[in-house]
Amino acid sequence: VIEAYKRGLRPAVGYELNPWLLRLSRYRAWKAGCDGEVSFLKQDLWKVNLSDCYNVTMFLAPSVKSPLAAKLLAELPDEARVVSGRFPFPCWTPSSTVGTGLDQVWAYDMKEVRQAAQSSAEGSPV
């Protein structure tokens, strides 16, 4: 969230349920000089409506990726970009990748992800 803000993405909002991680995020924003410019909200990502989000960055375990992929497909606009750190989405083809190993990130453009999902659904036998 802090890096997104520094790169000009507004608004820069993070969602976290763990109170310790929430405090740590707010402390890091304060330390980076962006306190009051970025927001970290104690909310359940599964209950947040993401339909007005155009840049989504996440660091989540692989076990969460499949159900989250369905939520993102349902809610994000075509113009949205999703960046995933450490673990890729297993069924999505990234638009680009950066880094290697533990520092690798995958970027997905939702329009491309939707087109690929539709193509694969059309090619599947019913």
Side-chain angles (χ1 to χ4, degrees):
V1 174
I2 295 166
E3 188 62 32
Y5 173 79
K6 288 179 178 180
R7 293 181 180 261
L9 299 174
R10 310 279 194 287
V13 180
Y15 300 104
E16 178 60 61
L17 279 176
N18 182 317
W20 295 106
L21 292 176
L22 191 62
R23 281 191 205 111
L24 178 62
S25 298
R26 290 175 176 162
Y27 168 76
R28 287 185 174 165
W30 171 79
K31 192 172 178 182
C34 6
D35 187 38
E37 302 297 329
V38 299
S39 301
F40 293 96
L41 306 175
K42 186 177 182 186
Q43 289 188 359
D44 185 340
L45 179 63
W46 300 106
K47 296 177 182 175
V48 173
N49 182 338
L50 300 173
S51 62
D52 63 346
C53 296
Y54 289 88
N55 294 286
V56 177
T57 303
M58 61 192 56
F59 181 86
L60 296 169
S63 61
V64 180
K65 296 293 175 131
S66 290
L68 183 58
K71 176 179 175 61
L72 296 174
L73 277 169
E75 294 181 12
L76 291 178
D78 276 348
E79 302 80 19
R81 175 167 259 212
V82 175
V83 176
S84 179
R86 185 93 27 116
F87 306 107
F89 280 89
C91 296
W92 291 2
T93 301
S95 304
S96 62
T97 62
V98 175
T100 59
L102 296 177
D103 295 324
Q104 188 168 4
V105 297
W106 295 261
Y108 306 90
D109 292 322
M110 290 310 295
K111 186 173 185 176
E112 292 176 19
V113 170
R114 276 198 186 87
Q115 288 171 343
Q118 287 172 346
S119 293
S120 107
E122 290 170 0
S124 305
V126 181

